[in-house]
Amino acid sequence: MLSQKRQYLRYCRVVVAVEARGRGLAQKIMDEALSVCKNQEGVTCCFLSAQVYLKGFYASYGFMEVGEEYLEDGIPHQDMSLTVS
């Protein structure tokens, strides 16, 4: 989503099927998503809502925690953001 007031992209759901996990697909998805974010004119931030157990995965890409943890659909989540140039 490219907002007119704030120039950001927000990633909503990234899912890898259970039977496809362990093959590096999540990394490939994130690499492509961040490439889009970084190459989109006017975008300065990428946001996502991470399941808490995946905070380290997103932090490895440079995402920082924003605010407090919360429940979404009964699952602990943490908002995270990445500033891009």
Side-chain angles (χ1 to χ4, degrees), residues 25-71:
L25 296 176
Q27 290 85 354
K28 290 178 184 179
I29 292 169
M30 284 306 299
D31 289 344
E32 183 62 27
L34 292 179
S35 176
V36 169
C37 185
K38 292 175 180 179
N39 291 303
Q40 182 74 38
E41 185 178 340
V43 172
T44 58
C45 287
C46 299
F47 289 97
L48 55 80
S49 297
Q51 289 187 10
V52 168
Y53 82 95
L54 290 169
K55 289 191 302 186
F57 171 74
Y58 294 114
S60 73
Y61 285 93
F63 281 86
M64 304 292 291
E65 295 179 25
V66 177
E68 301 293 322
E69 290 181 16
Y70 59 92
L71 290 179

